[in-house]
């Protein structure tokens, strides 16, 4: 099995479409049906998985998704690219050193002190508050 699509609940489809396009993600679809169903699909560069949002797709509350992860090889370059697109994302690592906690608990400013794989993060949100986490991985652990 492969993860193909994640449904992201949004309150304003056109505003979300503008935001995800501003990230430089590829727009794959924007389809509407007569019953009011609308499906918009975007794929991050280099990803095989996509996000879908729209009208009449989910009963989840807009902005309720947390911790969707995007993997990059250079957390600082990723943060700079986001900043260049007008999106603020501060780099942090977890004080416990295992994985980041929910919310901002145990966040320590700056990348992991050893720049350990899987240890540095940056977070940003879409206009509804759905949270994305950027995680630095230079060398994947075996089997991943």
């Amino acid at each position: 099995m492969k993860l193909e699509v994640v449904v992201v609940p949004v309150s304003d489809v056109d505003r979300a479409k503008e935001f995800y396009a501003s990230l430089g993600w590829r727009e794959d679809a924007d389809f509407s049906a007569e019953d009011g169903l609308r499906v918009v699909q975007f794929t991050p560069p280099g990803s095989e998985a996509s996000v879908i949002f729209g009208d009449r797709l989910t009963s989840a509350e807009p902005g309720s998704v947390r911790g969707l992860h995007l993997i990059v090889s250079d957390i600082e370059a990723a943060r700079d690219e986001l900043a260049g697109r007008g999106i603020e994302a501060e780099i942090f690592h977890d004080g416990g050193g295992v994985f980041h906690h929910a919310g901002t608990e145990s966040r320590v400013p700056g990348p992991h002190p050893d720049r350990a794989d899987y240890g540095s993060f940056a977070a940003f949100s879409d206009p509804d508050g759905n949270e994305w986490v950027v995680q630095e991985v230079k060398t994947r652990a075996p089997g991943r």
Side-chain angles (χ1 to χ4, degrees), residues 2-40:
K2 290 175 117 180
L3 178 63
E4 184 73 20
V5 171
V6 174
V7 177
V8 177
V10 302
S11 61
D12 182 323
V13 178
D14 290 321
R15 180 180 69 175
K17 183 176 175 178
E18 198 173 294
F19 174 80
Y20 286 100
S22 78
L23 291 174
W25 294 12
R26 182 185 72 227
E27 181 181 337
D28 300 317
D30 187 347
F31 300 111
S32 296
E34 289 182 23
D35 66 355
L37 177 76
R38 183 173 176 196
V39 179
V40 178

Side-chain angles (χ1 to χ4, degrees), residues 1-91:
M1 288 185 214
K2 290 175 117 180
L3 178 63
E4 184 73 20
V5 171
V6 174
V7 177
V8 177
V10 302
S11 61
D12 182 323
V13 178
D14 290 321
R15 180 180 69 175
K17 183 176 175 178
E18 198 173 294
F19 174 80
Y20 286 100
S22 78
L23 291 174
W25 294 12
R26 182 185 72 227
E27 181 181 337
D28 300 317
D30 187 347
F31 300 111
S32 296
E34 289 182 23
D35 66 355
L37 177 76
R38 183 173 176 196
V39 179
V40 178
Q41 180 173 331
F42 275 85
T43 303
S47 179
E48 292 185 33
S50 302
V51 296
I52 287 180
F53 52 86
D55 290 319
R56 303 188 69 192
L57 293 180
T58 180
S59 59
E61 287 295 317
S64 62
V65 173
R66 299 285 179 274
L68 294 170
H69 279 63
L70 300 165
I71 305 304
V72 299
S73 60
D74 185 333
I75 196 74
E76 291 172 330
R79 187 249 347 257
D80 292 347
E81 181 179 340
L82 287 168
R85 295 175 179 279
I87 298 164
E88 188 175 322
E90 293 302 317
I91 296 173

